[in-house]
Amino acid sequence: MPSLVIGDLVAQIPIVQGGMSVGISLACLAAAVANEGAIGVIGTAGIGMEEEDWEKEFEESNIRALRKEIRKARQMTKGIIGVNIMVALTNFQDMVRVSIEEGIDIIFSGAGLPLSLPKIAGEKCRTKLAPIVSSGRAAGVICKAWHQRYKRIPDAVVVEGPLAGGHLGFTMEQLEEIDDYKLEKLVKDVMEALKPWEDTYKKKIPVIAAGGIYTGKDIVKFLRMGAAGVQMGTRFVATEECDASPAFKEYFVRAKKEDLMVIKSPVGMPGRAIKNDFLVKVHSGEKVPFSCSYHCLVTCNPRKSIYCIAKALINAKRGEFDYGFAFAGENAYRIERIMTVKELISDLVKEAEADA
């Protein structure tokens, strides 16, 4: 497979590991992926969850934890390490600033349009900036805004389709018309939207396809379409190095096709998750009492929410599924066993080469 080139960053394997937050992809997983020549990514939302003072000192504990994870990853690999920072985070600016201070290689940013990202990063920042979008229109809006305000364009763009896990950049109505929003179509639309800006700056903007990519054959399909690489999240959950609990990983192994469902998240976006009793209860209207001392997402209104999504995801990460749930991509049910990152990437490369 060709290398994934993003400016002066060169990943020998054109795979970006999805930045799964609330403790799923931290230093251990990201470093393991980077050591195999791909791009490892630390998820920043809820990263301070294991800090003793997280409830009382939300901002400081997250900053401290992010520094720890980036430094830990650097000690474990000389490969490419990125972070995923959601625009919807109330501490978005802090997470960007700290990541850059720690010399992170690349920032992936979605769950909203990162229109101010270059300003926060600063003109002299060497960290690559890669928005995550779900349409050509969004890619065009970002490029236009960055050009007009900062005289620059993205270093790469991730296109995330409707089969991804976690929060999705689509409405419930759009997800019901899923054939109109296939990833293949979205990738083409985004590449078309980026072309004028590539011509203006005489610079290639690598497009990374994401959402529902499972096999090496899938990777080859998108590379042939013109994508520079792919992003994969769900497959990396069922690895030895994933930072979640063993119970969380086994949950994916046991998942069946009919268990995958789209939920209405308290933060105002649809999301894809593995169905369980907790989700059945809350989506039937049953309220789970909670208090919010941090307000981690801009789009969340604790007074109107029937449960705290942060606490639900934290519980799940620890294997406590009676009080939480797991986000997962549409193909999670295809996972049959837990393997090492090395085994997974080796299998993907073999599958891709067999289809080339």
Side-chain angles (χ1 to χ4, degrees):
M1 290 192 289
S3 299
L4 171 55
V5 180
I6 304 174
D8 58 0
L9 299 178
V10 180
Q12 297 304 315
I13 305 296
I15 296 174
V16 175
Q17 164 246 311
M20 297 167 285
S21 291
V22 197
I24 307 304
S25 62
L26 298 173
C28 289
L29 177 56
V33 172
N35 279 332
E36 296 307 313
I39 298 180
V41 182
I42 295 168
T44 64
I47 197 167
M49 58 181 281
E50 299 297 351
E51 298 291 306
E52 291 184 1
D53 58 348
W54 191 53
E55 293 277 352
K56 295 181 179 179
E57 300 292 340
F58 174 73
E59 293 181 2
E60 284 302 315
S61 62
N62 277 288
I63 288 172
R64 190 186 318 125
L66 179 55
R67 290 194 193 278
K68 284 181 182 178
E69 291 302 324
I70 294 175
R71 293 176 185 182
K72 182 178 178 181
R74 289 295 190 208
Q75 292 174 347
M76 299 170 72
T77 184
K78 293 182 179 179
I80 302 172
I81 296 292
V83 290
N84 180 291
I85 308 177
M86 297 167 59
V87 178
L89 292 177
T90 53
N91 59 346
F92 174 68
Q93 291 194 32
D94 283 341
M95 295 290 98
V96 172
R97 176 178 55 80
V98 171
S99 298
I100 291 171
E101 287 176 359
E102 293 297 325
I104 203 70
D105 294 312
I106 184 167
I107 293 174
F108 298 96
S109 187
L113 299 182
L115 301 180
S116 64
L117 183 55
K119 180 180 179 181
I120 302 167
E123 291 183 11
K124 297 181 180 180
C125 172
R126 298 186 63 182
T127 297
K128 304 298 182 288
L129 306 180
I132 302 172
V133 302
S134 55
S135 69
R137 180 179 177 277
V141 168
I142 292 170
C143 285
K144 183 177 181 180
W146 286 19
H147 166 69
Q148 291 180 339
R149 299 176 189 177
Y150 315 112
K151 304 303 178 189
R152 68 164 297 171
I153 53 176
D155 296 295
V157 172
V158 176
V159 189
E160 192 167 89
L163 300 184
H167 288 117
L168 305 170
F170 302 88
T171 65
M172 282 292 191
E173 291 73 25
Q174 288 173 328
L175 292 173
E176 290 174 0
E177 302 294 332
I178 204 163
D179 286 344
D180 294 334
Y181 299 93
K182 284 186 175 180
L183 182 56
E184 293 87 341
K185 181 179 183 299
L186 298 178
V187 168
K188 290 180 180 178
D189 289 347
V190 169
M191 288 193 294
E192 189 66 27
L194 295 178
K195 194 174 186 310
W197 300 105
E198 292 177 323
D199 293 342
T200 298
Y201 281 79
K202 295 180 171 53
K203 170 186 173 183
K204 184 68 177 174
I205 305 175
V207 172
I208 299 163
I213 296 170
Y214 190 85
T215 66
K217 186 175 182 179
D218 294 335
I219 296 172
V220 171
K221 177 175 69 175
F222 286 101
L223 293 179
R224 285 176 175 160
M225 286 180 57
V230 300
Q231 177 179 284
M232 306 175 77
T234 297
R235 289 220 67 181
F236 285 102
V237 172
T239 60
E240 297 287 351
E241 296 89 345
C242 175
D243 295 273
S245 67
F248 187 93
K249 301 173 192 181
E250 288 293 343
Y251 209 67
F252 279 65
V253 175
R254 297 196 305 270
K256 298 180 176 61
K257 187 172 184 178
E258 57 269 25
D259 294 332
L260 277 299
M261 65 181 293
V262 175
I263 66 171
K264 292 182 179 179
S265 167
V267 305
M269 304 177 191
R272 180 169 283 102
I274 299 175
K275 185 178 182 180
N276 66 359
D277 289 342
F278 177 87
L279 284 178
V280 171
K281 289 177 182 177
V282 297
H283 282 276
S284 66
E286 184 174 325
K287 184 175 176 63
V288 178
F290 70 92
S291 61
C292 179
S293 57
Y294 32 83
H295 188 210
C296 55
L297 295 170
V298 175
T299 53
C300 180
N301 185 340
R303 287 177 294 183
K304 294 184 178 180
S305 298
I306 63 172
Y307 69 97
C308 174
I309 191 167
K311 291 181 178 178
L313 295 174
I314 289 169
N315 290 335
K317 184 260 184 183
R318 295 169 176 166
E320 301 169 5
F321 285 97
D322 287 342
Y323 308 99
F325 67 93
F327 278 134
E330 180 68 16
N331 286 312
Y333 72 93
R334 297 170 67 180
I335 294 174
E336 297 179 345
R337 67 185 181 92
I338 297 170
M339 60 178 73
T340 65
V341 166
K342 189 178 190 68
E343 288 176 310
L344 173 57
I345 291 183
S346 176
D347 285 354
L348 292 170
V349 170
K350 288 176 183 177
E351 291 168 0
E353 289 176 345
D355 194 59

